[in-house]
Amino acid sequence: MALATACGSSPEPDVRVEEFDLRTEIDIEAAVYAGPLYAVGSTSVIEESGTSWDLGVPLHGIAYVDEAGFPAVLAVVGDGGYVALARYGYNSGGFQEFTQEPTNIEADLLGVAGYFEMKDQLTLIVVGEDTLGVGQGIPEEGPLVWTATQPPPGGWGHLRDIRLEDDDVCVLGDAGALFCADVTTMIWGRVELDTDENLTRFCGGLRWEAVGSNGTVVIRGLPAEDTSVWTTAQVGSVDLVACSSGFSAAPVVVGANRTIYEVVDPTHAQRLVTLDWQPLTFDRETGFVMAGEGGHGGYLVEVKSY
């Protein structure tokens, strides 16, 4: 079933997708814009020019960690607690090699986020099946030290994605699971949502929307930009697999039917464009670069008439 469409009086949006090819045929699971676009799928990390690194492990998540004064890091995660890092080389002008980080994690990892503290200390937070792990250290001085975060009563459940902005970090997963913490304390609390749908992905861009199964959209800060309030909307019955903050306050969501919609109110979404390939992720930096099945990519562009 398609998502509900907006009222007939709403104008048809003038939107197009400028497509590009990542020079691979694998399905892209996650991507991040770090100058060029970097993406993960199957066992490979792919840079948009076609350069790739086969790490030999199924990969599911990627993060770009950048802070003034520190060499940037690309972190990727995958099956069996796999974590690998690449440091930016100023002499080489890019990321050259990925090094596996030994962890004490056995679960398959689906999401990763990170930040730098003083003295070049890197903190990574990873999520997976009933797992939330934290790794800390200075990469040039040796492996990160990994600790498992104490789960809440009932456990974490199946965590699928993580978002970190400034000192605020949240994770989400199946059966309406949503947990948030301040990174300075790492004390996690569950956010009670009015849904038990599986939540699949946080949006990129400025806001904190998330999407899930059966047309579920979760929005933080409504009403009145109160970040302690999370509102759940149902905009149809199509499973939503990715999202962006959109061209305005309205999130842009991607259905499992290859269609991109703009959520215009808590019960309706307006179709923007349907593609002949399935987008699976928006990058977190720009919020408008997408990638998906068969190595396809695209930029979501709003066309305005003057």
Side-chain angles (χ1 to χ4, degrees), residues 5-23:
T5 56
C7 298
S9 59
S10 299
E12 183 71 13
D14 195 357
V15 172
R16 71 175 186 273
V17 173
E18 295 184 357
E19 297 189 22
F20 61 89
D21 188 352
L22 284 169
R23 298 177 175 84

Side-chain angles (χ1 to χ4, degrees), residues 218-263:
V218 181
I219 303 173
R220 187 179 191 180
L222 293 178
E225 299 297 323
D226 183 352
T227 57
S228 67
V229 176
W230 295 77
T231 302
T232 302
Q234 203 81 20
V235 294
S237 58
V238 171
D239 291 341
L240 302 179
V241 298
C243 58
S244 164
S245 60
F247 297 112
S248 60
V252 169
V253 300
V254 179
N257 57 357
R258 309 190 316 277
T259 299
I260 303 170
Y261 304 86
E262 184 175 48
V263 179

Side-chain angles (χ1 to χ4, degrees), residues 201-217:
R201 187 84 69 167
F202 281 111
C203 302
L206 298 177
R207 297 184 62 88
W208 280 78
E209 293 95 357
V211 294
S213 58
N214 288 316
T216 301
V217 179

Side-chain angles (χ1 to χ4, degrees), residues 150-167:
Q150 182 67 30
W156 295 108
H158 187 64
L159 298 179
R160 295 177 177 270
D161 199 12
I162 179 171
R163 175 147 191 191
L164 171 67
E165 292 290 337
D166 299 322
D167 293 332

